[in-house]
């Protein structure tokens, strides 16, 4: 497709709104990310714990990013040919990279390079979960699986599975990012027409 076609495709698939929303999220993180979410600890007799907003804000970026797959013609697009799906993939990859670069740049300048890497890693993990959530619950429900995982991280922070608190070089967290993205991409690719074709082979 030519450049004008790509611009129309991006407009229909909410590129401007997604970029604006994710930019607002990372700016909020830059200015207010150090404030803690005050929550009562489980079994602590009312003692509260705090989790920095910065750790959970990437969830919003991931949910916004998953909106790139939605449009008024989303069902028809799923029935498109291989060329259409390649174009859709290029758009989603390009938009994801743009959001990650923007988030890394702002967070890296505001806090530090390691914080920027962790922020991006969280976006990738929650984006994979958001894609899986869409396929599981429906096109308007990209948030249940990311939110469920966030609640676990909030209530049980700083454990080995907490990718929002682990270092930028933590291999377990990067393995989680790879697994989440792979699961989300597979779920997104498994449209009804594709699964029907696969079952006939």
């Amino acid at each position: 497709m030519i450049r004008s076609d790509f611009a129309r495709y991006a407009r229909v698939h909410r590129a401007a709104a997604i970029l604006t929303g994710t930019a607002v999220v990372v700016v909020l993180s830059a200015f207010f990310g150090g404030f803690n979410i005050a929550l009562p600890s489980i079994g602590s007799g009312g003692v509260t714990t705090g989790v920095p907003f910065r750790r959970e804000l990437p969830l919003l970026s991931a949910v916004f990013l998953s909106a790139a797959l939605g449009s008024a013609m989303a069902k028809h697009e799923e029935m498109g040919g291989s060329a259409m799906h390649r174009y859709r993939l290029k758009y989603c990859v390009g938009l994801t990279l743009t959001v990650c670069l923007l988030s890394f740049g702002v967070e890296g300048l505001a806090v530090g390079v390691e914080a920027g890497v962790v922020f991006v890693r969280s976006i990738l993990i929650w984006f994979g979960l958001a894609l899986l959530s869409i396929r599981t619950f429906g096109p308007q429900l990209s948030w249940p699986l990311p939110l469920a995982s966030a609640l676990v991280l909030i209530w049980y922070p700083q454990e080995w599975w907490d990718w929002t608190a682990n270092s930028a070089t933590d291999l377990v967290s990067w393995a989680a990012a790879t697994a989440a993205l792979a699961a989300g991409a597979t779920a997104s690719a498994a449209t009804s027409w594709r699964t029907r074709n696969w079952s006939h082979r």
Side-chain angles (χ1 to χ4, degrees):
M1 291 186 181
I2 60 176
R3 186 174 298 178
S4 60
D5 291 330
F6 185 83
R8 282 194 292 269
Y9 186 91
R11 185 168 61 251
V12 170
H13 290 82
R14 310 182 180 103
I18 291 167
L19 290 174
T20 301
T22 52
V24 169
V25 167
V26 75
V27 168
L28 285 174
S29 178
F31 284 99
F32 305 108
F35 290 94
N36 285 346
I37 304 170
L39 294 167
S41 296
I42 297 175
S44 64
V47 176
T48 59
T49 59
V51 177
F53 276 108
R54 176 168 287 113
R55 293 186 188 175
E56 314 309 326
L57 282 173
L59 187 153
L60 295 177
S61 295
V63 171
F64 290 156
L65 191 53
S66 67
L69 298 177
S71 74
M73 300 290 288
K75 282 296 181 183
H76 295 286
E77 288 175 3
E78 287 189 354
M79 295 184 288
S82 57
M84 178 65 188
H85 283 276
R86 281 196 301 271
Y87 194 73
R88 182 181 186 227
L89 176 63
K90 289 178 182 177
Y91 168 73
C92 289
V93 169
L95 189 63
T96 302
L97 288 175
T98 302
V99 168
C100 287
L101 286 173
L102 173 66
S103 301
F104 173 77
V106 176
E107 189 74 0
L109 287 172
V111 186
V113 172
E114 178 157 346
V117 172
V118 172
F119 198 95
V120 168
R121 184 178 65 200
S122 295
I123 290 176
L124 296 177
I125 292 175
W126 273 317
F127 181 48
L129 292 178
L131 294 178
L132 190 58
S133 189
I134 288 172
R135 184 59 64 199
T136 303
F137 302 111
Q140 304 301 320
L141 294 171
S142 60
W143 53 269
L145 290 182
L147 181 60
S149 68
L151 291 176
V152 173
L153 299 183
I154 289 172
W155 287 112
Y156 301 99
Q158 298 179 341
E159 300 288 350
W160 63 268
W161 61 74
D162 188 357
W163 62 79
T164 66
N166 292 338
S167 71
T169 57
D170 182 66
L171 294 180
V172 173
S173 297
W174 282 109
T178 302
L181 277 177
T186 301
S188 182
T191 59
S192 56
W193 71 273
R194 272 183 170 165
T195 53
R196 191 159 47 244
N197 287 340
W198 294 339
S199 65
H200 291 322
R201 291 180 182 176

